[in-house]
């Protein structure tokens, strides 16, 4: 018997006479729902660990270990509180694992799953009355908040939603007015980081026998999955979650705001808190985190900036996902569904981008230091912070016309915090403009100047941001290719005016840089300044052409 099996048996109380609840893998909190208020002696919890889920996509090893280690520790923690636990090891869908239990124990309650994929799996059990769905108490806002805030949408806007929920909840409000006189201090939060203050080192944890066992399982069963397994970087217990939050509160939050948009080759997270994976599993509760931050003495730009991420963006993207049924149902269209056993997700692409994801995303060097550095961080940690996701990974993929669905699936497997409700809106909606202006006002694309200003990647790159970096040409080529589609966008008026003034020869060069850069990266070749990559028919100043 496994260490975990033994430990659970030792703690297991008498399961007789209990009312049973199914707790999905991402609802691992005893502080919400029935677990927070009913007598532990009366409750039984069903937990399911299934190879079917783990093998459904080539998830990063660290992600598999994070979910399994937290699921197992949660089982032990709740058993220690007196809850009876039925821990099911399965190899098929959740539905198949639950059916016999429902037959034996009677109907199970479940808080509404966050993931659409899990809701779809469980739908027949809900329809037959075997599963009784109750509200998910982990969210801070309701569908009504979303509807009320977006009177005329779609398109939907996060800032209107955020202002509405600030008013409704009274968070960072004094006498009906936002603290500091404005709802957002975003414009104050755009400093590059030059090394001072030093970036905090992410906390390390001491893996116990349960976590070690999960590590062995992942190494054995999922050896072919990508990514580095680093158990000491993995918060697995309730105490670890608290320790991570204490670290984030002390080391990150005081300077969270000013450096929020900065990027560095010396730190994958800078002053970002790294709590998303635990928030999404509910090992840390959004309500607790937001309340803590409201109560802290912090510079307002950091305090408000952080609260906006959780109360605003995190909740908003979830509502967009719900309102569009995972982007299957968009205003005036219903994008095709990708092929995958079961359902491969919606494939919107208003710009018509459909190129395969280039091998650089799986670790083949591209020669672009920004892209190579962030990809390396992701495979080492299953994490990178928001701006690297948006302005390096999604930016480059968008400039190369990569299929938004392929990019989404990559993010889904590569990041430890990715679940459909959050990764799809962030990649399809925000990162790639695949659904147009449905939830953002413009495509988030940039040339090398932005990257040079906000990061130190260019200092370790063979290309020069002002002369040889191909990203600038890729940016102009993107605007030129999609000019007709984008020309009515007021936020792109200035760049499109600049494009029209760009000399024809430069525009032709941009187009060639795009053609040859895309071909080289698709073939897994490294771009170089001197023209060594085979995709380049001649040497020129943009390096990929
Ligand atoms: C292309 C792309 C893909 C993304 N994929 C995911 C994903 O799969 N899972 C995920 O949780 N976040 C995703 N995000 C949002 C954001 O990048 C991460 O939540 C954040 O980087 C997590 O790191 P952190 O905890 O250090 O965040 P911090 O910067 O410390 O922010 C605090 C918290 O705010 C929340 N948050 C901030 N922005 C967002 C957002 N846009 N959407 C949802 N929550 C947000 C997160 O819970 C985060 O933990 C994505 C963003 C982009 C641009």
């Amino acid at each position: 018997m496994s260490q975990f099996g033994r430990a659970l048996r030792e703690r297991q109380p008498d399961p007789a006479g209990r009312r049973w609840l199914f707790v999905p893998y991402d609802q691992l909190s005893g502080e919400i729902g029935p677990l927070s208020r009913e007598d532990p002696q009366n409750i039984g919890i069903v937990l399911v660990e299934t190879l079917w889920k783990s093998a459904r996509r080539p998830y990063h090893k660290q992600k598999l270990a994070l979910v399994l280690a937290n699921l197992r520790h949660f089982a032990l923690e709740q058993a220690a509180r007196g809850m009876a636990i039925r821990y099911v090891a399965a190899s098929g869908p959740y539905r198949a694992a639950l059916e016999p239990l429902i037959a034996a124990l009677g109907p199970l309650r479940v808080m509404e799953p966050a993931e659409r994929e899990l809701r779809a799996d469980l739908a027949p059990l809900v329809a037959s009355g075997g599963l009784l769905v109750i509200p998910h108490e982990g969210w801070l806002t309701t569908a009504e908040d979303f509807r009320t805030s977006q009177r005329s949408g779609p398109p939907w806007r996060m800032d209107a939603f955020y202002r509405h929920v600030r008013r409704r909840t009274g968070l960072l409000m004094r006498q009906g007015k936002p603290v500091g006189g404005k709802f957002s201090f975003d414009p104050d939060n755009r400093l590059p980081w030059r090394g001072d203050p030093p970036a905090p080192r992410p906390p390390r944890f001491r893996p116990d026998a349960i976590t070690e066992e999960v590590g062995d399982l992942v190494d054995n069963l999922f050896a072919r999955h990508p990514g580095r397994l680093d158990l000491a970087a993995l918060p697995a217990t309730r105490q670890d979650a608290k320790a991570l939050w204490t670290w984030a509160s002390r080391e990150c939050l005081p300077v969270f705001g000013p450096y929020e948009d900065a990027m560095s080759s010396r730190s994958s997270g800078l002053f970002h808190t790294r709590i998303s994976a635990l928030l999404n599993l509910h090992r840390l509760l959004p309500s607790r985190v937001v309340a803590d931050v409201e109560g802290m003495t912090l510079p307002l730009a950091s305090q408000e900036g952080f609260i906006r991420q959780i109360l605003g963006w995190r909740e908003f993207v979830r509502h967009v996902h719900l309102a569009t049924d995972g982007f299957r149902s968009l205003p005036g269209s219903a994008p095709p569904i990708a092929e995958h056993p079961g359902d491969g997700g919606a494939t919107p692409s208003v710009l018509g981008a459909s190129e395969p994801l280039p091998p650089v995303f799986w670790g083949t060097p591209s020669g672009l230091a920004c892209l190579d550095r962030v990809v390396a961080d992701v495979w080492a940690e299953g994490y990178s912070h928001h701006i690297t996701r948006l302005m390096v990974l999604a930016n480059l993929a968008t400039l190369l016309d990569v299929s938004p669905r392929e990019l989404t699936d990559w993010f889904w497997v590569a990041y430890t915090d990715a679940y459909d409700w959050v990764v799809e809106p962030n990649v399809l909606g925000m990162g790639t403009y695949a659904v147009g202006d449905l939830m953002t006002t413009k495509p988030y694309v940039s040339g090398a100047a932005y990257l040079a200003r906000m990061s130190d990647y260019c200092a370790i790159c063979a290309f020069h941001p002002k002369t040889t970096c191909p990203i600038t040409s890729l940016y102009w080529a993107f605007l030129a290719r999609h000019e007709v589609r984008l020309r009515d966008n007021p936020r792109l008026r200035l760049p499109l005016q600049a494009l029209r003034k760009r000399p024809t020869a430069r525009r032709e060069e941009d187009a060639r840089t795009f053609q040859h850069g895309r071909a080289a990266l698709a073939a897994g070749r490294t771009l170089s300044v001197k023209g060594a990559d085979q995709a380049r028919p001649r040497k020129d100043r943009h390096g990929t052409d």
Side-chain angles (χ1 to χ4, degrees):
M1 182 183 261
S2 67
Q3 295 262 11
F4 169 64
R6 256 196 306 280
L8 187 59
R9 201 171 58 180
E10 281 161 16
R11 288 171 180 72
Q12 192 71 271
D14 182 358
R18 307 265 173 165
R19 194 162 174 222
W20 291 85
L21 181 80
F22 168 51
V23 177
Y25 46 82
D26 59 355
Q27 296 182 6
L28 306 182
S29 172
E31 294 168 47
I32 48 174
L35 299 187
S36 67
R37 50 181 170 261
E38 294 179 17
D39 184 349
Q41 314 303 323
N42 295 334
I43 299 197
I45 302 177
V46 174
L47 295 163
V48 178
E49 176 179 314
T50 170
L51 295 174
W52 174 80
K53 173 79 173 169
S54 309
R56 200 164 149 70
R57 296 183 178 78
Y59 292 116
H60 196 302
K61 289 195 188 83
Q62 188 78 350
K63 181 178 195 179
L64 292 175
L66 180 91
V67 175
L68 294 179
N70 276 283
L71 192 65
R72 291 182 177 196
H73 279 104
F74 176 76
L76 297 174
E77 290 156 8
Q78 295 305 313
R81 288 180 63 204
M83 311 270 177
I85 310 288
R86 287 290 284 265
Y87 197 93
V88 183
S91 54
Y94 290 90
R95 180 174 63 229
L98 292 176
E99 259 164 356
L101 287 169
I102 291 169
L105 303 170
L108 305 174
R109 290 177 293 169
V110 60
M111 285 202 293
E112 184 173 37
E115 277 212 284
R116 184 191 182 281
E117 200 165 87
L118 182 59
R119 290 197 300 274
D121 180 18
L122 299 179
L125 298 182
V126 175
S128 67
L131 273 181
L132 309 172
V133 178
I134 57 177
H136 187 321
E137 296 178 19
W139 300 110
L140 303 175
T141 63
T142 61
E144 183 55 28
D145 284 323
F146 183 65
R147 269 193 302 275
T148 313
S149 69
Q150 309 290 318
R151 264 175 242 125
S152 57
W156 298 304
R157 294 293 174 254
M158 196 291 290
D159 52 352
F161 171 75
Y162 174 60
R163 285 194 303 270
H164 168 80
V165 288
R166 284 271 301 274
R167 286 198 186 93
R168 207 260 297 147
T169 58
L171 267 162
L172 284 187
M173 301 289 287
R174 299 279 179 278
Q175 292 160 346
K177 297 260 183 320
V179 173
K182 345 183 240 187
F183 280 99
S184 168
F185 291 82
D186 212 19
D188 301 353
N189 287 349
R190 305 223 167 110
L191 285 185
W193 180 72
R194 302 290 180 230
D196 187 31
R201 289 163 74 93
R204 305 289 286 173
F205 307 94
R206 187 169 299 168
D208 63 9
I210 307 296
T211 303
E212 298 274 8
E213 198 167 63
V214 165
D216 290 345
L217 181 152
V218 170
D219 269 339
N220 290 332
L221 293 183
F222 302 102
R224 296 168 77 99
H225 282 223
R228 184 169 72 114
L229 187 58
D230 179 5
L231 295 181
L234 186 156
T237 65
R238 226 171 140 240
Q239 283 70 29
D240 292 347
K242 276 191 191 154
L244 177 65
W245 180 230
T246 304
W247 170 84
S249 308
R250 281 196 199 132
E251 306 285 337
C252 305
L253 289 178
V255 278
F256 176 83
Y259 302 107
E260 206 181 335
D261 284 5
M263 297 172 275
S264 174
S265 59
R266 288 172 283 163
S267 166
S268 60
L270 284 176
F271 304 96
H272 293 267
T273 61
R274 297 176 176 263
I275 62 170
S276 50
L278 291 189
L279 281 177
N280 296 349
L281 292 176
H282 288 90
R283 291 299 257 171
L284 285 173
L285 288 184
S287 55
R288 178 66 56 89
V289 163
V290 165
D292 283 356
V293 173
E294 198 193 19
M296 287 176 196
T297 306
L298 291 173
L300 187 54
S302 290
Q303 191 178 37
E304 183 284 317
F306 182 80
I307 287 180
R308 177 157 28 90
Q309 304 312 310
I310 295 186
L311 183 68
W313 277 112
R314 185 172 183 275
E315 296 280 322
F316 176 74
V317 299
R318 176 238 172 184
H319 288 301
V320 170
H321 198 259
L322 273 177
T324 57
D325 190 23
F327 299 94
R328 285 157 176 80
S329 165
L330 298 174
S333 74
I337 302 301
E339 281 184 25
H340 185 276
D343 176 347
T347 60
S349 183
V350 299
L351 299 177
S354 60
E355 295 295 321
L357 191 72
V360 48
F361 281 81
W362 299 101
T364 305
S366 70
L368 301 169
C370 52
L371 185 56
D372 293 341
R373 178 71 257 159
V374 179
V375 167
D377 287 343
V378 174
W379 291 123
E381 301 182 49
Y383 173 84
S384 76
H385 74 71
H386 184 69
I387 301 301
T388 50
R389 299 186 202 203
L390 187 64
M391 298 312 295
V392 176
L393 300 173
N395 181 27
L396 262 297
T398 305
L399 296 182
L400 292 165
D401 276 355
V402 167
S403 149
R405 182 74 242 171
E406 277 203 37
L407 185 70
T408 305
D409 292 340
W410 179 84
F411 269 99
W412 198 341
V413 304
Y415 279 84
T416 56
D417 58 18
Y419 299 90
D420 60 15
W421 64 268
V422 61
V423 76
E424 291 187 327
N426 270 300
V427 186
L428 297 173
M430 190 190 301
T432 61
Y433 206 63
V435 290
D437 68 355
L438 185 70
M439 56 174 273
T440 56
T441 50
K442 63 167 187 146
Y444 287 101
V445 283
S446 83
Y450 176 87
L451 295 166
R453 191 166 67 249
M454 294 309 297
S455 83
D456 56 16
Y457 299 126
C458 303
I460 55 161
C461 190
F463 296 100
H464 191 286
K466 287 202 172 139
T467 52
T468 54
C469 179
I471 298 174
T472 300
S473 260
L474 292 177
Y475 169 75
W476 290 117
F478 170 87
L479 289 182
R481 277 195 314 286
H482 302 297
E483 188 181 358
V484 173
R485 181 72 181 69
L486 300 174
R487 73 179 161 208
D488 295 329
N489 187 317
R491 293 199 64 195
L492 292 180
R493 199 167 47 84
L494 292 179
L496 288 175
Q497 267 171 13
L499 174 74
R500 282 170 210 132
K501 289 189 194 138
R502 201 164 163 79
T504 307
R506 301 285 293 275
R507 290 181 63 146
E508 286 169 2
E509 201 175 280
D510 297 336
R512 279 197 303 275
T513 300
F514 167 67
Q515 294 295 345
H516 297 296
R518 180 179 61 171
L521 292 176
R525 290 195 290 267
T526 305
L527 308 179
S528 69
V529 184
K530 290 203 178 109
D533 77 82
Q534 296 159 35
R536 298 190 300 167
R538 66 181 180 79
K539 190 166 151 185
D540 83 1
R541 61 191 293 280
H542 282 300
T544 58
D545 204 358

